[in-house]
Amino acid sequence: MDLKLMILKSEMLALLTKQPDVPMLEKINAKLHDGVCQRCKEVLEWRVKYSKYKPLSKPKKCVKCLQKSVKDSYHIICRPCACELEVCAKCGKKEDIVIPFNKEPEKTENPEINLHSNHRSCRRNEESDDDLDFDIDLDDPKDNQVD
């Protein structure tokens, strides 16, 4: 009985002393709540303020186009459908949108990283091509013999 009590106390102490994920909090605080009505914007800001906002781990299904393209937390409609229908992406009502979606497609934070990784993969392919011997004539019986 004492062992269970000690384990329970240590678990509670670990929960109380757990530090928040600082980079995640910075990302959440920097999030721009666009494409939503005034009420939904206030709800999202309240969630951020009182640490109730949880980012999505994987895309959800849009209720209009039925594709897994909703990438914003607590939203039910994807960005393209919300823009096309001019509705709030969170509640789906035809309200005045406070901050409209930007028309440009989403870009990665640092495009140099993507370019650099592509160059690496090309170099690997080039290096692997050097190992191959293309001087062999497949029609010549001398080259096709196995030693």
Side-chain angles (χ1 to χ4, degrees):
M1 187 70 162
D2 291 330
L3 182 61
K4 286 185 178 180
L5 186 60
M6 288 175 55
I7 292 172
L8 183 62
K9 283 183 180 179
S10 64
E11 288 175 356
M12 292 300 293
L13 185 62
L15 287 174
L16 292 174
T17 59
K18 184 178 177 184
Q19 296 295 321
D21 189 11
V22 175
M24 183 63 74
L25 286 176
E26 290 175 357
K27 189 175 180 180
I28 289 172
N29 287 334
K31 175 96 172 91
L32 177 66
H33 303 290
D34 53 347
V36 294
C37 62
Q38 182 63 39
R39 183 181 183 284
C40 292
K41 185 175 187 293
E42 290 170 359
V43 169
L44 292 172
E45 288 172 351
W46 178 90
R47 283 184 176 274
V48 169
K49 182 178 178 181
Y50 291 103
S51 302
K52 302 293 182 185
Y53 188 89
K54 293 182 183 177
L56 276 181
S57 57
K58 56 184 180 179
K60 292 190 329 182
K61 190 181 284 189
C62 173
V63 297
K64 299 295 181 183
C65 65
L66 303 177
Q67 300 293 316
K68 285 201 172 192
S69 55
V70 179
K71 296 181 177 119
D72 296 317
S73 297
Y74 307 103
H75 290 207
I76 60 169
I77 301 173
C78 64
R79 288 175 175 253
C81 291
C83 285
E84 182 182 324
L85 301 171
E86 296 178 359
V87 295
C88 174
K90 185 178 179 298
C91 65
K93 295 179 182 173
K94 195 148 180 93
E95 300 283 332
D96 290 334
I97 306 302
V98 180
I99 303 171
F101 289 123
N102 51 353
K103 300 293 181 184
E104 299 173 10
E106 294 179 17
K107 297 179 181 177
T108 56
E109 292 178 7
N110 198 350
E112 295 173 5
I113 294 172
N114 293 339
L115 294 174
H116 191 62
S117 64
N118 288 342
H119 290 301
R120 284 185 180 171
S121 64
C122 292
R123 284 187 197 131
R124 277 191 227 129
N125 291 340
E126 289 172 4
E127 290 171 1
S128 64
D129 289 345
D130 293 340
D131 297 339
L132 299 176
D133 186 17
F134 289 109
D135 295 335
I136 298 175
D137 185 14
L138 296 176
D139 294 334
D140 189 16
K142 292 179 189 176
D143 290 337
N144 288 338
Q145 290 178 353
V146 178
D147 294 329

